[in-house]
Amino acid sequence: MSLLGEDIVTEDGEFVINMGPQHPSTHGVLHLKIWLDGETIKRVQPHLGYIHRSIEKMSENLSYRNFIFATSRMDYLSAHINNEACALCVEKGLQIEATPRAQVIRILMAELTRLSSHQLWWGCTGLDLGAVTPFFYAFREREAIMEIMEETCGARLTMNYMVPGGVMYDIHPNFQKRVKDVMKQIKNNLHEYFEILTGNVIFENRTKGVGYLSKEDAISYGVTGPTGRASGVSCDVRKWFPYEGYDKVQFDEILDNCGDCYARYMVRMKEMDQSVSIIEQLIDNIPEGDFQTKTKNVIKLPKGEFYQRVETARGELGVFIVSDGAASPYRIKYRSPNFSNLSAIDHMARGAKIGDLIAIMATLDLVIPDIDR
Amino acid sequence: MTNEEIKLFISAHIPAATFDESGEFLNVIIASEELLPIMKELRSNRDLEFDYLFCLTCIDWKDHLMMVYHLLSKKHRHVIVIKAKITDVNDPQIETVCGIWKTAEFHEREVYDLFGVKFINHPDLRRIFLMDDWEGWPLRKNYVDENMIEI
Amino acid sequence: MDVSEKLIFPGQKHETADGGILITKLDDAINWARANSLWPLVFGTSCCAIEMMSAADAKYDWSRFGFEVARATPRQADLIIVAGTIVMKMAPVLKRLYDQMADPKYVIAMGACTISGGPFFYNTYSVVKGVDHVIPVDVYVPGCPPRPEALLHGMIALQEKIKNEHYFGKKAEKDK
C-alpha cells in the first residue's frame, strides 16, 4: 500500500511508486508519485507541502525590518539574494536607494552566493548520478566562500545581511584580500570540475538527450534561471530588469538551445565563470562612503503594491508586497523560481526511464523549502 | 505597445475596465466573469503576445477577493497586471487560465489551498501544500487556528 | 530486581549491586562498539541539512568519529539527525521513519526549528513546535543553523551518553 492508501497497480497495469518524501536524491522532502509502465515513466505527480512553513502568513505580522529573515530560510543556498530582493522591494516602496558602497557589496555578496550555490549543486549532481568525489571537490571551494561570509556577516548560511537602505555592517577589513584569494583558487581549480565529471562517459550517457524541455514549454511553464536558459529562453533578470547597477558590469547571459540535462549542466558551469568575472571587476572598485542609507526606525510603506524581482541561483524570485500603510505588510507573495521550475517535471519526465528522473531532478537544482515556502 | 495603446485595446474589449497607473506597472481591474476572454486575447494577439505569466496570486480585502495576474511579453518586453475582482467571499469562483499558461496549474492550486478560490475547469484542483483534511483557508484574514500562537 | 525478592526458578542468580565484573565489562564492550559506529540516516528537510552535509565533507569530516556510513534507509540506521523544520504534514512520515529503525536508536534534534519551532514559532499554522512532540530526542543542538562543529559536539555528546548505558544488570532495569 502506498502512502496515500491507493493500490500500487492501476487498472491499466501501470505500477505506481512513491519517491520521497524521504529519499536521498530528492534533496529534501519532495514527494513524487510516479506511474510506471515497466521502467518507463507514464506520469509524475509532485506532492508538495512537507516543508510548508507558512512564511507568507508569518510575514503579515512582522515589521518591514523583521520579515526579511524568513527569506534566508526559503532558498537557503541563495540566502543573500533572497534578502536582497526583500530589501529592494521595501526600498522601492520608500523610494530610496542603497548607497553606492552598499550596492557594490550587495552584488559581490550575491555573486559569491551564486558561486557557492552552483558548487554545491555540482557536488550533489555528482552524488545523485553515482560519483562521490565531486562532492568533496565542490566543498573545498564552498567552505572558503563560507568563511568569507562568516567573517563579514557572522553566519555561514542564513546571513540576514541585507537591510532596507543598505547592508547591516561594513565589510570586514580582510574581505577584499580573501575574496581575491578565493577567486584565484576557483580559477585554478575550475578545470578540475570538468576533468572529473564533464567528460565522463557514464555522466554524458545519463544526461545527454534526457529530460528535454522546449523553449515554448519553458516560457509557458514559467521556467527561469539556468534551467530556462538551457532551453534557449533569455530570462536573466540581471539583464532584463537590471537592479543594483548590474547594468554597469560586463557579463554574458549564457544560453543553450539543447534543453536537455547536459545543457542545464553546462549553463551552470559557465555561469560560474561569469560570476568570477563580475566579482573581479568589482572587488577593487568598492566605493568609499556609508554602507547604509538612513531610514526611520519604524518603516511604513505608502499604500500600494510593490513588485521586485531578482535573479537567484535558481531563477527569477519575485517579491510582491501589498501595503495598506501600516507598519507590517498587508500581504506578501513570494514568486519562487523552484515552484515554477518543478511544475515542468511531469512534462520533462514523461517517456523517460525511472533512472533518468534522478538526472532531471539533479539538473533542475531544486531547493524544496523554496517551493513550499 | 505603449501603456496608452494597451489601455485603448482593453477598453475596446471591456468597457467597464478601470485602470490604475500609480504603481510600477499598468493595472487593469476587471470583474471576475470577464477574465477568460480577455486573457485569451492578451495571449494570442500578435501586438500584445503576453506569453509569460510570472506571478499569480490573490489578495483578501475582507469584503472581496482580488486575483492578481502579472503578465510579461518576452517578445515586446511589456508588462501588465490584470486584477479580477471576486465579490462573493463565501463561495469565490473564477475561470482557470491553465489552458493559456501551463504554469497557472500549480499557482492556482496554491491559491485554492490558501484562499479557497475555486477555479472552474481546472484539471486537478486539490490542496497543494496542506493535508487534504485541513479546515479553513489559512491566508484569509478571518482564518482562526487554535494551534497558532500570535504575538 | 531487589536482592531480597524470592527466586522464581532454579538456577536464577542474585543480582549484584552494579552488575558484577563480567557484565559490566560486557556492557563496556558493547557500548564501545555501538558508540563508535553510529550510522546516521540521510534525513534533512531544510537549511540544517546543508550544514549536516558540511559536517560530512573533507573539512569537518565526521568519519573521524565513526559517522561516515550515512544510510538512505531507516532499516540500516542507528541514528536520525532531524535536520530542519518539521511541519504537520511531515510529522507522520518522521514518526514512521523512526518506527522503522531497529533498536537501539537515537535522535539528535539539530537546529532551533526542531527544538521549539525556532524562528517559525509565532503566527504559523503548519509548523510542529519541537520535534519532541513526535519522537523522543537524545541530544539537542541549538543554532539556526548550527555550525558543523556544533553538530559534531552533539554527536560526541551522544557517544558519551551511549557509553554510560547498561544493557545488563541493575541499571538497565532502572533505565527502562
Side-chain angles (χ1 to χ4, degrees):
Chain A
M1 200 184 78
S2 74
L3 198 71
L4 299 173
E6 292 163 20
D7 291 337
I8 53 169
V9 180
T10 63
E11 282 173 9
D12 306 334
E14 286 172 2
F15 193 61
V16 185
I17 61 164
N18 285 288
M19 199 166 145
Q22 159 63 19
H23 190 277
S25 78
T26 55
H27 296 209
V29 284
L30 179 65
H31 174 191
L32 296 177
K33 200 173 170 193
I34 307 161
W35 280 258
L36 289 171
D37 178 15
E39 221 181 316
T40 311
I41 296 169
K42 289 282 166 191
R43 188 151 77 92
V44 180
Q45 198 181 57
H47 286 249
L48 312 174
Y50 290 96
I51 186 73
H52 174 62
R53 297 186 279 196
S54 49
I55 288 176
E56 287 172 10
K57 179 85 176 174
M58 217 172 79
S59 304
E60 287 174 13
N61 290 292
L62 293 170
S63 75
Y64 283 110
R65 282 188 189 285
N66 292 349
F67 83 96
I68 295 177
F69 87 91
T71 54
S72 341
R73 278 95 183 150
M74 250 162 53
D75 181 354
Y76 39 77
L77 293 179
S78 18
H80 259 308
I81 313 178
N82 289 6
N83 295 162
E84 194 183 2
C86 296
L88 278 167
C89 198
V90 176
E91 281 163 19
K92 191 176 261 179
L94 290 173
Q95 294 187 325
I96 57 167
E97 252 195 2
T99 57
R101 184 176 176 82
Q103 287 195 341
V104 173
I105 297 175
R106 279 182 180 182
I107 295 185
L108 284 170
M109 286 298 186
E111 294 308 316
L112 282 172
T113 311
R114 199 183 315 278
L115 268 175
S116 68
S117 166
H118 282 355
Q119 278 158 357
L120 188 119
W121 158 81
W122 181 74
C124 290
T125 302
L127 273 184
D128 288 349
L129 298 177
V132 182
T133 321
F135 181 74
F136 295 103
Y137 276 76
F139 267 73
R140 181 184 55 191
E141 268 87 43
R142 188 181 147 81
E143 283 296 335
I145 295 177
M146 291 288 104
E147 273 172 21
I148 297 174
M149 296 288 184
E150 194 179 12
E151 211 171 50
T152 293
C153 320
R156 284 160 54 87
L157 204 62
T158 48
M159 293 87 169
N160 201 16
Y161 182 54
M162 312 289 179
V163 292
V167 292
M168 199 175 271
Y169 311 105
D170 208 350
I171 46 172
H172 193 272
N174 288 344
F175 180 76
Q176 279 163 304
K177 187 184 163 292
R178 293 190 81 149
V179 170
K180 278 183 213 163
D181 288 350
V182 172
M183 286 310 118
K184 214 168 152 189
Q185 185 189 344
I186 291 176
K187 273 164 85 179
N188 284 341
N189 292 345
L190 213 56
H191 71 96
E192 287 181 359
Y193 287 34
F194 289 100
E195 282 161 20
I196 294 172
L197 202 56
T198 310
N200 187 298
V201 181
I202 300 170
F203 178 76
E204 284 194 355
N205 285 344
R206 285 196 70 177
T207 51
K208 276 190 177 167
V210 171
Y212 175 71
L213 184 68
S214 72
K215 186 177 177 179
E216 288 69 34
D217 284 327
I219 295 175
S220 182
Y221 277 110
V223 173
T224 51
T227 316
R229 289 196 280 281
S231 297
V233 186
S234 164
C235 57
D236 196 327
V237 183
R238 295 173 292 174
K239 288 276 185 203
W240 274 68
F241 304 96
Y243 53 96
E244 306 274 32
Y246 266 113
D247 42 351
K248 288 174 208 146
V249 287
Q250 300 289 320
F251 67 99
D252 297 330
E253 182 179 7
I254 311 286
L255 287 175
D256 199 317
N257 289 318
C258 295
D260 58 355
C261 289
Y262 192 74
R264 292 193 275 278
Y265 172 84
M266 286 312 284
V267 166
R268 286 202 179 82
M269 296 304 277
K270 286 176 189 164
E271 265 191 13
M272 283 199 230
D273 278 336
Q274 297 301 320
S275 290
V276 171
S277 139
I278 294 175
I279 292 170
E280 284 188 331
Q281 285 172 48
L282 291 174
I283 189 66
D284 282 323
N285 301 318
I286 305 177
E288 294 295 321
D290 285 339
F291 55 88
Q292 217 183 80
T293 314
K294 279 253 182 294
T295 46
K296 284 183 184 165
N297 273 345
V298 179
I299 296 177
K300 281 186 183 174
L301 291 198
K303 258 189 192 178
E305 286 154 19
F306 310 100
Y307 191 89
Q308 175 65 45
R309 46 179 135 197
V310 296
E311 179 78 17
T312 75
R314 274 153 207 81
E316 176 184 327
L317 172 77
V319 180
F320 180 54
I321 296 183
V322 181
S323 166
D324 61 346
S328 50
Y330 187 78
R331 160 111 175 92
I332 281 193
K333 154 88 181 168
Y334 297 110
R335 184 261 184 228
S336 76
N338 287 298
F339 188 66
S340 301
N341 289 3
L342 176 74
S343 64
I345 198 167
D346 179 38
H347 180 79
M348 289 154 87
R350 278 191 193 196
K353 299 277 184 267
I354 181 90
D356 296 338
L357 188 63
I358 308 295
I360 293 170
M361 281 205 300
T363 51
L364 274 179
D365 192 13
L366 299 172
V367 168
I368 313 304
D370 191 38
I371 297 171
D372 288 353
R373 300 188 294 284
Chain B
M1 268 202 211
T2 60
N3 279 359
E4 289 304 315
E5 287 170 313
I6 297 175
K7 269 160 111 174
L8 284 177
F9 178 85
I10 292 175
S11 298
H13 278 80
I14 307 174
T18 51
F19 301 94
D20 174 14
E21 279 185 283
S22 57
E24 189 185 359
F25 310 123
L26 170 67
N27 282 254
V28 185
I29 299 143
I30 55 172
S32 60
E33 297 79 28
E34 292 161 332
L35 181 79
L36 198 60
I38 188 71
M39 286 303 219
K40 274 185 183 156
E41 193 60 33
L42 287 172
R43 173 70 184 86
S44 56
N45 188 298
R46 286 192 138 205
D47 295 327
L48 293 166
E49 226 171 302
F50 285 103
D51 50 1
Y52 175 32
L53 173 74
F54 61 90
C55 185
L56 188 163
T57 188
C58 182
I59 307 166
D60 179 12
W61 289 107
K62 287 173 187 159
D63 57 339
H64 66 273
L65 292 171
M66 191 70 103
M67 288 294 303
V68 185
Y69 302 83
H70 285 73
L71 298 171
L72 176 113
S73 166
K74 285 271 175 198
K75 191 174 164 196
H76 304 291
R77 295 202 170 209
H78 46 217
V79 182
I80 191 177
V81 182
I82 303 285
K83 290 183 175 173
K85 189 174 175 181
I86 306 176
T87 42
D88 185 2
V89 192
N90 296 321
D91 184 25
Q93 287 193 352
I94 195 163
E95 281 277 346
T96 177
V97 293
C98 278
I100 312 172
W101 298 279
K102 289 174 189 163
T103 183
E105 184 180 338
F106 268 42
H107 281 90
E108 286 180 348
R109 273 180 70 188
E110 184 192 325
V111 171
Y112 169 72
D113 192 354
L114 304 176
F115 288 93
V117 177
K118 287 182 189 70
F119 291 90
I120 304 159
N121 298 331
H122 190 286
D124 184 22
L125 196 64
R126 288 175 294 119
R127 282 190 182 270
I128 190 166
F129 291 143
L130 300 168
M131 287 88 92
D132 291 336
D133 54 355
W134 195 277
E135 279 176 24
W137 316 106
L139 279 184
R140 291 272 196 101
K141 292 288 172 185
N142 60 3
Y143 176 74
V144 274
D145 190 337
E146 55 202 23
N147 295 323
M148 200 159 86
I149 303 165
E150 294 189 41
I151 301 174
Chain C
M1 201 211 293
D2 204 327
V3 184
S4 59
E5 240 174 80
K6 209 181 144 193
L7 296 179
I8 300 166
F9 56 88
Q12 189 180 350
K13 286 183 292 187
H14 284 291
E15 293 286 337
T16 47
D18 256 328
I21 292 168
L22 181 70
I23 281 172
T24 315
K25 289 293 161 202
L26 198 57
D27 262 349
D28 282 351
I30 290 171
N31 289 341
W32 173 81
R34 275 182 179 160
N36 290 306
S37 68
L38 282 170
W39 289 9
L41 176 72
V42 181
F43 179 82
T45 58
S46 54
C47 345
C48 290
I50 304 295
E51 289 299 70
M52 191 169 83
M53 280 159 71
S54 294
D57 80 358
K59 187 170 176 190
Y60 297 99
D61 194 12
W62 65 15
S63 51
R64 289 179 292 165
F65 308 103
F67 295 109
E68 79 276 26
V69 197
R71 296 278 110 179
T73 160
R75 293 188 174 80
Q76 299 169 349
D78 307 306
L79 163 67
I80 176 165
I81 302 171
V82 187
T85 323
I86 299 299
V87 300
M88 306 277 191
K89 197 171 179 179
M90 192 64 197
V93 182
L94 176 66
K95 179 76 174 68
R96 188 164 166 175
L97 282 171
Y98 181 75
D99 290 342
Q100 283 173 342
M101 281 163 67
D103 275 325
K105 50 193 171 186
Y106 306 96
V107 178
I108 291 181
M110 180 185 181
C113 295
T114 53
I115 295 174
S116 68
F120 306 100
F121 187 77
Y122 291 111
N123 293 312
T124 66
Y125 47 85
S126 59
V127 174
V128 175
K129 295 178 176 65
V131 73
D132 42 13
H133 290 291
V134 186
I135 53 175
V137 177
D138 292 284
V139 178
Y140 296 86
V141 184
C144 188
R147 290 184 56 90
E149 289 98 328
L151 178 63
L152 286 178
H153 178 76
M155 294 170 120
I156 292 164
L158 178 66
Q159 287 185 332
E160 271 160 26
K161 184 179 177 178
I162 294 170
K163 281 175 188 160
N164 286 318
E165 279 178 349
H166 294 264
Y167 290 94
F168 305 98
K170 205 172 176 183
K171 279 200 177 164
E173 298 281 322
K174 258 188 200 169
D175 286 346
K176 280 173 191 168

